[in-house]
């Protein structure tokens, strides 16, 4: 490793060959979501801190200990976005999107920031693709969102995908259940991890996320919210399941699926992939019927998910490849370099990728370079004004009219 400067802990550079893999995922994502009628939205990388405190929830790990928060020159508290839903809901309210046909269907792609312990698949700056459908409480929206995430990751070829599905009910049912669960946790306090114990009152459901063995044993026998679903919550969940069955999307019910964000109501889901190790979740999300109102907007129910781009690439094992080159334009002598640059320009304008030597290499050196970058053809501009075309794979070489190189190559 170099002794020079390094990217901050938990961050990484995307080099050209990896950018090729990323561009592939982005193109596939845009195609899947745009075909389904979702429009792309971009929100700022930072927001007022208050948006996340209110939107994500004060007692979540994200808000309690993972945000990159700073003050600007005038003393405002700003935060690098740790997730996308709060920002998109803020934009929905700010732009009066409740006046559009509902639900408003949006997707986004970009960097997110969380101060987490870095490990394989977990970074402090990572990229997510996300989807939000705001303005409808129909189970059709939940089902479509899940189907689209499945289509996206299955279509990309992510191996060993499993879908976990749960419901967090309505706030009323959940708060009654919270009390029941808190009482159960108190009874079993001695077996819980200290961090879980300290959160019994603030956020007892998070105990389901604990990796601590004692806590896990206690949680295995804990009362489950899925068993407390009733009325419209139960109907909604049943309908989501019927729709997924009809679409042929398989799932496993997971009563312990809580997710680390406070805004979820009713449906929650997560996709895992077989070869991701400890950080096995590729993407997940759920319904957040109270969030828009909580942020000061109209009552507008919503559903959303986010998937980690780096996790998708890890699961695919796609390390990309060097960007492809069609042509290397070589100059037999220094006098031909201006012709080489002009011809490369003409080929590029016609849509071919074309390179010239920028390092003063001899003709031999240029041909080596053409080989190294995997160029399909090399055009050699000769000192007498003529030209040769070499097919790099076969080595076959022939005279070519220098004025008709483009026509010849695109023939
Ligand atoms: P969340 O926003 O927490 O629901 O996470 C959605 C998805 O983003 C997860 O399933 C992961 O694929 C990805 N993700 C979340 N946190 C990180 C992280 N620190 N590093 C890399 N990917 C992450």
């Amino acid at each position: 490793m170099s002794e020079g400067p390094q990217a901050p802990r938990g961050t990484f550079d995307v080099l050209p060959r990896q950018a090729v893999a990323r561009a592939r995922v982005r193109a596939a994502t845009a195609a899947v979501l745009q075909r389904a009628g979702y429009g792309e939205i971009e929100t700022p990388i930072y927001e007022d801190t208050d948006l996340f405190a209110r939107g994500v929830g004060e007692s979540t790990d994200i808000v309690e200990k993972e945000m990159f928060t700073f003050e600007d020159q005038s003393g405002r508290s700003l935060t690098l976005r740790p997730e996308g839903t709060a920002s998109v809901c803020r934009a929905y309210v700010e732009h009066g999107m409740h006046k559009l046909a509902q639900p408003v269907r949006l997707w986004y792609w970009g960097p997110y920031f969380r101060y987490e312990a870095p490990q394989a698949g977990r970074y402090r700056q990572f990229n997510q693709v996300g989807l939000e459908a705001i303005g409808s409480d129909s189970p059709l929206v939940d089902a479509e969102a899940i189907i689209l995430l499945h289509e996206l990751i299955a279509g990309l070829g992510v191996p060993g995908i499993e879908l976990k599905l749960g419901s967090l009910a309505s706030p009323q049912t959940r708060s009654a259940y919270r009390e029941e669960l808190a009482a159960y946790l108190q009874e079993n306090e001695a077996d819980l991890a200290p961090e879980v114990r300290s959160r019994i009152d603030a956020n007892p459901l998070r105990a389901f996320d604990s990796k601590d063995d004692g806590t896990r044993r206690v949680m295995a026998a804990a009362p489950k919210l899925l068993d407390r679903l009733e009325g419209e919550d139960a109907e909604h969940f049943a309908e989501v399941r019927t729709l997924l069955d009809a679409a042929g999307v398989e799932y496993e019910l997971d009563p312990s699926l809580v997710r680390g964000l406070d805004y979820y109501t009713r449906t929650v889901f997560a996709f895992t992939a077989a070869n991701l190790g400890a950080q096995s979740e590729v993407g997940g999300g759920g319904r957040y019927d109270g969030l828009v109102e909580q942020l000061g907007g109209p009552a507008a129910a919503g559903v959303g998910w986010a998937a980690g781009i780096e996790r998708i690439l890890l699961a695919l094992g796609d390390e990309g490849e060097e960007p492809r080159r069609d042509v290397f334009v070589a100059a037999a002598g220094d006098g031909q370099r201006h012709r080489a640059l002009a011809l490369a320009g003409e080929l590029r304008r016609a849509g071919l990728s074309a390179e010239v030597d920028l390092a003063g290499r001899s003709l031999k050196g240029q041909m080596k370079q053409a080989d190294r970058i995997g160029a399909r053809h090399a055009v050699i501009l000769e000192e007498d004004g003529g030209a040769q075309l070499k097919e790099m794979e076969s080595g076959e070489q022939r005279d070519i009219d220098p004025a008709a190189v483009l026509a010849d190559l695109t023939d």
Side-chain angles (χ1 to χ4, degrees):
M1 201 176 289
S2 111
E3 304 246 307
Q6 290 176 10
R9 197 164 135 70
T11 70
F12 53 86
D13 299 309
V14 176
L15 301 179
R17 64 160 46 228
Q18 299 157 338
V20 169
R22 229 159 247 270
R24 236 183 336 248
V25 173
R26 195 183 199 288
T29 300
V32 167
L33 302 180
Q34 243 125 256
R35 275 200 298 263
Y38 289 70
E40 188 174 356
I41 182 169
E42 237 180 79
T43 60
I45 302 275
Y46 59 84
E47 299 268 0
D48 288 337
T49 301
D50 183 53
L51 176 72
F52 301 116
R54 280 206 288 165
V56 179
E58 297 275 13
S59 66
T60 58
D61 275 353
I62 290 182
V63 172
E64 267 183 0
K65 48 188 188 198
E66 295 176 0
M67 297 206 300
F68 285 92
T69 296
F70 59 98
E71 274 189 11
D72 72 5
Q73 280 76 347
S74 60
R76 263 180 229 107
S77 180
L78 300 169
T79 293
L80 296 181
R81 58 187 190 187
E83 60 100 53
T85 305
S87 304
V88 173
C89 288
R90 195 254 319 128
Y92 176 91
V93 177
E94 186 170 337
H95 300 284
M97 291 191 220
H98 62 283
K99 295 186 209 115
L100 306 175
Q102 306 292 298
V104 173
R105 291 162 296 164
L106 301 165
W107 71 278
Y108 51 85
W109 171 291
Y112 293 83
F113 306 84
R114 293 182 196 171
Y115 189 78
E116 293 196 89
Q119 56 170 271
R122 192 160 72 193
Y123 314 99
R124 292 185 174 164
Q125 175 175 343
F126 55 98
N127 292 277
Q128 284 187 338
V129 50
L131 168 151
E132 315 290 345
I134 308 174
S136 164
D137 62 5
S138 166
L140 278 169
V141 187
D142 311 47
E144 181 174 81
I146 295 170
I147 290 165
L148 287 173
L149 181 51
H150 180 259
E151 190 181 323
L152 174 65
I153 56 182
L156 281 165
V158 173
I161 300 170
E162 281 177 23
L163 168 59
K164 294 190 175 117
L165 185 68
S167 172
L168 296 178
S170 57
Q172 297 74 12
T173 305
R174 186 152 86 220
S175 78
Y177 167 76
R178 270 173 70 129
E179 282 179 27
E180 183 186 354
L181 181 64
Y184 171 82
L185 293 176
Q186 250 131 23
E187 279 163 31
N188 293 280
E189 217 178 327
D191 297 324
L192 299 175
E195 149 185 304
V196 176
R197 223 177 292 151
S198 70
R199 263 205 306 232
I200 293 184
D201 289 326
N203 206 340
L205 273 80
R206 292 301 310 281
F208 283 109
D209 285 344
S210 175
K211 305 266 184 281
D212 170 67
D213 285 340
T215 307
R216 288 172 84 120
R217 270 193 301 277
V218 173
M219 298 324 286
K224 302 289 178 334
L225 182 50
L226 269 189
D227 298 326
R228 303 288 181 272
L229 287 191
E230 52 185 29
E232 290 183 3
D233 291 339
E235 280 168 35
H236 185 98
F237 194 49
E239 186 59 19
V240 171
R241 295 176 59 181
T242 305
L243 291 164
L244 291 178
D245 291 340
V249 175
E250 287 175 17
Y251 56 82
E252 189 189 313
L253 288 187
D254 185 350
S256 67
L257 191 60
V258 184
R259 305 200 56 73
L261 304 140
D262 272 359
Y263 49 61
Y264 288 123
T265 55
R266 293 191 167 169
T267 318
V268 282
F269 55 92
F271 283 93
T272 55
N275 55 356
L276 282 181
Q279 301 302 314
S280 63
E281 189 187 298
V282 190
R287 180 166 270 289
Y288 46 82
D289 288 348
L291 179 59
V292 175
E293 204 172 2
Q294 195 179 312
L295 295 176
V303 179
W305 51 252
I309 305 307
E310 289 72 31
R311 300 246 179 116
I312 292 177
L313 290 165
L314 273 173
L316 291 173
D318 189 348
E319 288 168 3
E321 61 272 325
E322 289 298 327
R324 83 194 169 101
R325 268 73 146 207
D326 297 312
V327 193
F328 191 93
V329 185
D334 281 345
Q336 311 310 314
R337 290 190 186 271
H338 65 285
R339 283 175 65 207
L341 199 57
L343 177 56
E346 186 194 344
L347 299 177
R348 291 167 187 166
R349 284 190 294 279
L352 297 174
S353 54
E355 272 198 29
V356 292
D357 173 47
L358 300 175
R361 293 182 180 87
S362 66
L363 179 58
K364 200 168 151 213
Q366 292 177 58
M367 296 313 284
K368 245 194 208 154
Q369 178 65 3
D371 202 38
R372 207 176 292 134
I373 64 171
R376 287 183 197 127
H377 316 274
V379 176
I380 302 153
L381 298 177
E382 294 174 316
E383 290 183 307
D384 63 3
Q388 301 263 319
L389 177 67
K390 180 171 178 182
E391 301 301 339
M392 294 302 291
E393 211 180 296
S394 63
E396 190 187 309
Q397 192 164 325
R398 63 183 161 86
D399 281 333
I400 184 173
D401 174 0
V405 174
L406 177 60
D408 199 291
L409 286 175
T410 52
D411 201 5

